[in-house]
Amino acid sequence: MSRIAYVNGRYRPLAEAAVNIEDRGYQFSDGVYEVCEVRGGRLIDERRHMERLARSLSELRIAMPMSRAALGVILRETVRRNRVRWGIVYVQITRGVARRDHAFPAPGTAPGVVVTARNLDLANAERLAAEGVAVVTVPDNRWERVDIKSVSLLPNVLAKQAAREQGAREAWFVDRDGRVTEGSSSNAWIVTRDGKVVTRHADHGILKGITRTVVLDVLAAQGLALEERPFTLAEAHAAREAFITSASQIVLPVVKIDGRPVGNGAPGLVATALRRDFHRHAEAT
Ligand code: PLP
C-alpha cells in the first residue's frame, strides 16, 4: 500500500507529494511541527498537541492556516488513508512560499501545511521498553527558545547521530552548568535513591512535552513525589532509575548513561508503572 501525504490542500501518494523549493520551511527552517501518537486508529492527546501547535505558531508570528477542527479532520483523514493503527501522525506548518528573503514575506502569504502518518513497529517498541535503552550525553548548544517546537533541529540531528554512532538510542543535552536539559527528541527524567521523580521545570530551555504533562498526572495518581528542577549529570549517574518520554515512545526506561549502568542496569519499577498506566490518563479521540 503506498503512503499518502496531505500537502497544501491535496492528498497525494508520498512519491509525488512535494513542496515548492521556495517554501520557507525548506529555505530557513521557518516552521513548526507536531507529532501525535496514534493508537487503535485514534489520536492521543490531540487537544494538547493542537494547543502547543497554536502556541509555537503564535511565538513565531505564523498564522494558523485553518481552524483546529479543520486540521483535526485532515489529521484523521491522513491516519485513515494510511491505515495507521499504532504509529504517529506528523503535521508541519511553515511560513509559506515567497522569494528568498530573510524577513517575513508579504502579509497574507499562505502558510504551508503538510501532514503525514505512519505505522510504527509495536513489537520493537515493547522490546525496547522491556530491555531499556542507552543514552549518551552531548553539550546543549541549541538556541534559547527550544520551548518552540520549530523544525529547526540541526543540533538535535547531530546529537541523535552521535547517539547512534555510540550504539545508544538517545542523546541527552547537558548545559554549561552540568545539568541535563532534555533528550534530542524526548524529555529526560530520573528517580533519585530516595524515590523522588525529577525532571527539569518547563521554561524556555526545554520543549514542554505533552507526554511529560500527562506523566505528571500519572505520577500524582500513583502518589509519587515529584521535583520539577534541573538535575545534574552526576545525579543522573547516581540515580536509581532514569527514563525518557515522548509521544512516539511514551515512557522508555534508560538503563545506561554514557556507558555506565543506571541503578541495577535494568528497567525500573517507576518507569515501568508510568508506561503501564499512561493511556489511562491520556485523551484518546
Ligand atoms: N523534547 C524534544 C526536543 C522533542 O523533540 C520532543 C518530542 O519530539 C519531546 C521533548 C517530547 O515531547 P512530546 O512528549 O510532546 O512528544
Side-chain angles (χ1 to χ4, degrees):
M1 189 195 83
S2 99
R3 288 179 59 205
I4 304 291
Y6 172 92
V7 185
N8 295 321
R10 298 173 71 183
Y11 294 94
R12 312 273 293 161
L14 209 65
E16 294 159 28
V19 294
N20 190 300
I21 61 163
E22 289 200 307
D23 187 287
R24 291 179 61 97
Y26 179 64
Q27 294 286 350
F28 298 115
S29 330
D30 190 359
V32 303
Y33 73 108
E34 276 297 328
V35 179
C36 276
E37 183 196 359
V38 178
R39 190 177 150 93
R42 294 163 82 191
L43 269 54
I44 301 301
D45 286 316
E46 177 190 9
R47 179 183 61 82
R48 288 182 170 114
H49 282 282
M50 290 303 112
E51 271 166 19
R52 187 173 64 185
L53 179 67
R55 178 181 180 277
S56 296
L57 287 169
S58 151
E59 291 295 306
L60 297 181
R61 293 193 280 152
I62 299 174
M64 183 77 177
M66 62 187 84
S67 69
R68 286 187 208 182
L71 189 54
V73 169
I74 294 168
L75 294 179
R76 279 185 181 71
E77 183 59 14
T78 308
V79 165
R80 192 188 67 76
R81 287 186 187 228
N82 288 282
R83 296 188 197 156
V84 180
R85 299 310 296 165
W86 185 69
I88 51 171
V89 59
Y90 173 91
V91 52
Q92 176 170 320
I93 299 177
T94 69
R95 206 183 302 275
V97 175
R99 195 182 67 194
R100 190 176 183 283
D101 175 12
H102 289 61
F104 290 178
T109 301
V113 184
V114 167
V115 179
T116 57
R118 67 184 172 94
N119 281 297
L120 293 176
D121 183 344
L122 188 58
N124 187 51
E126 292 307 328
R127 186 184 56 78
L128 287 174
E131 292 175 0
V133 298
V135 304
V136 296
T137 58
V138 294
D140 196 341
N141 55 3
R142 302 174 299 163
W143 76 322
E144 285 164 10
R145 289 304 309 276
V146 297
D147 58 306
I148 300 169
K149 200 164 169 66
S150 128
V151 293
S152 187
L153 290 169
L154 201 43
N156 309 59
V157 166
L158 297 177
K160 188 77 88 185
Q161 182 61 21
R164 289 282 153 81
E165 287 172 5
Q166 293 172 69
R169 171 92 181 167
E170 179 60 301
W172 277 4
F173 288 118
V174 179
D175 71 14
R176 283 203 206 104
D177 301 320
R179 303 177 313 186
V180 175
T181 52
E182 63 180 334
S184 71
S185 63
S186 59
N187 288 115
W189 306 68
I190 56 169
V191 183
T192 62
R193 290 271 159 203
D194 57 354
K196 294 197 182 84
V197 181
V198 185
T199 196
R200 191 194 161 91
H201 56 287
D203 56 2
H204 287 177
I206 64 163
L207 182 75
K208 187 176 178 185
I210 303 303
T211 318
R212 175 189 182 282
T213 300
V214 175
V215 164
L216 297 184
D217 290 343
V218 187
L219 284 172
Q222 293 182 352
L224 291 165
L226 166 74
E227 287 181 1
E228 281 185 271
R229 62 165 176 85
F231 61 86
T232 63
L233 188 52
E235 279 184 279
H237 280 309
R240 186 200 286 172
E241 285 186 39
F243 59 93
I244 54 177
T245 57
S246 76
S248 58
Q249 303 176 110
I250 315 170
V251 177
L252 212 47
V254 170
V255 294
K256 216 186 260 182
I257 301 173
D258 288 332
R260 289 161 58 173
V262 178
N264 63 3
L269 292 175
V270 170
T272 304
L274 291 172
R275 183 180 178 89
R276 185 196 61 217
D277 287 359
F278 180 83
H279 288 101
R280 258 188 252 160
H281 295 265
E283 295 169 4
T285 53

